[in-house]
Every structure is written in structure tokens, then in C-alpha cells.
Amino acid sequence: MTTATEGLLDAHLTLLAEALLPYRSSEQQLARWGTELAATLAGGGRLLVAGNGGSAAEAQHLTAELVGKLRDDRQPLSAIALHAETSAMTAIGNDYGYDEVFARQVRAHGRENDILLLMSTSGASANLLAAARAGREVGLRCWAFTGPAPNPLADACHETLAIDSPESQVVQELHLVSTHVLCEYVDRALPAALAVAGTATATVERPTAPVRTGVEVVLDGGDRRVEAG
């Protein structure tokens, strides 16, 4: 006998299975994003992430994996979930309006070539659209996790991973899968990225003090002077 609960589960899993078929094509995009993100973080850059509601929780999940670790121990990586800055967020909302709660933080924390990842099931949240515009102004690379495309957030960002499902719960569940796979690819690419970053740092020209030439003479009393040679 099928209970109401079992019927709901079956319906949900059916929607999830339908979304999984097109989602499998996201492998190459997640691999490329992971490699690019690893290079950015290894080079001293930062990831900024934002979302509303359940997507805010997923944004914080992602930053926790990077600042902490996914599986194996490694150095901490710079990632900030903007909604978790509660005092800044509420102050900005109070003074500038809720649409600006992420955009103003992007302008504060973002540096050119940092990465901004915005998560939204609808792809239509005004505060995320404002954040994408701010990110482009600052010079960040803007990525999005969204539901079905086209949508306004996908249009506002440089690249989008869109989940093809009408059910927001399924969209969020596959955003979580994407978060884990993205972090796996970051960890895989990080050693090579750190090696490249270390080489680049070592080859930066540093100013040197002028070379003093001549003969150093020690006088009575311990005074020293250099006579031209």
C-alpha cells in the first residue's frame, strides 16, 4: 500500500531524475570553473558568493568548503558568503534598501579579476542582479547558479550553470551537487595553480640597493668609510 508520504517522495525523485539527464552535460563547465577558481585563489584572489534563502545557505556551504576543506587537508582559500556579514547587510539594507545588500559589499571587497558567484533558483532576484552589475563595474568575473535559462541573472553574468527543472527544490539540490563537484575540481587543480603562482612571485623583479664599490677603511675609534677604488 502506497502512503501519501511515499507518493510525495516518488514524485520528487521523478523530477530529480528528469533534471539529472541534462545536468550531466555540466561536467566540463564545472571542471573549467574549478581550474579557473583554483588559479584565482592560488594567486591571492577571492571568491564572493551570494544568494537568498536556501541559496544563501548553499552559498555559505560553498565558502565553508573552501575556507575549511572538502576532504583532504590543504591551505585555506579566501571565500566570503556576503549574506553572512549580518551587521553590514542589515546596515546596508536599512540605509540603502534591500536591493543593495550584496552590491555594496561587492564594491567593498571585490578586486579586479576576483570571482563573484550568485545563486538563485529564479534568476530574477533584484539584489543579485544589482550585485552582478556591481561586479562587472569593479572588474570581477561573474558566474551564476540558476534555475532554467534564459533568465535575467544569467543575462547579467558572464557565465551560468542553469538547472533545467521547474521545481526550485530540485534546482537547489543540484546546486549543492555543483558546489561539491566544483570544490573537487578546485582541489584537483590547486597544486598546479600554486606552483604557477609561486613561480610568478619568484620571478617578479625586486629593486636592489646600489652596489658600493671601493676599499673599506677602518679608522681609529671604529669609524668606517669607503674610499673609491
Side-chain angles (χ1 to χ4, degrees), residues 44-60:
R46 174 179 292 158
L47 175 69
L48 304 179
V49 196
N52 294 296
S55 295
E58 299 213 4
Q60 198 164 351

Side-chain angles (χ1 to χ4, degrees), residues 83-211:
H83 75 277
E85 295 289 327
T86 53
S87 294
M89 186 168 147
T90 52
I92 294 166
N94 186 61
D95 294 341
Y96 299 96
Y98 193 70
D99 288 358
E100 288 296 310
V101 293
F102 299 135
R104 192 166 179 85
Q105 292 188 75
V106 168
R107 294 188 182 97
H109 299 305
R111 301 294 181 267
E112 189 172 1
N113 292 322
D114 283 351
I115 294 174
L116 173 65
L117 176 57
L118 303 171
M119 299 184 176
S120 172
T121 58
S122 69
S125 300
N127 56 5
L128 297 179
L129 292 172
R133 289 191 294 269
R136 282 179 170 272
E137 290 168 7
V138 175
L140 276 66
R141 287 162 287 170
C142 299
W143 298 345
F145 282 179
T146 73
N151 61 68
L153 186 58
D155 293 339
C157 291
H158 295 103
E159 294 188 73
T160 300
L161 192 155
I163 304 300
D164 188 14
S165 174
E167 177 55 59
S168 61
Q169 294 174 29
V170 170
V171 172
Q172 287 184 342
E173 286 158 6
L174 291 183
H175 283 175
L176 179 57
V177 174
S178 300
T179 290
H180 286 151
V181 175
L182 178 63
C183 289
E184 290 270 13
Y185 275 115
V186 168
D187 283 0
R188 181 177 295 184
L190 191 61
L194 287 170
V196 170
T199 300
T201 301
T203 57
V204 171
E205 254 186 57
R206 290 180 170 79
T208 56
V211 177

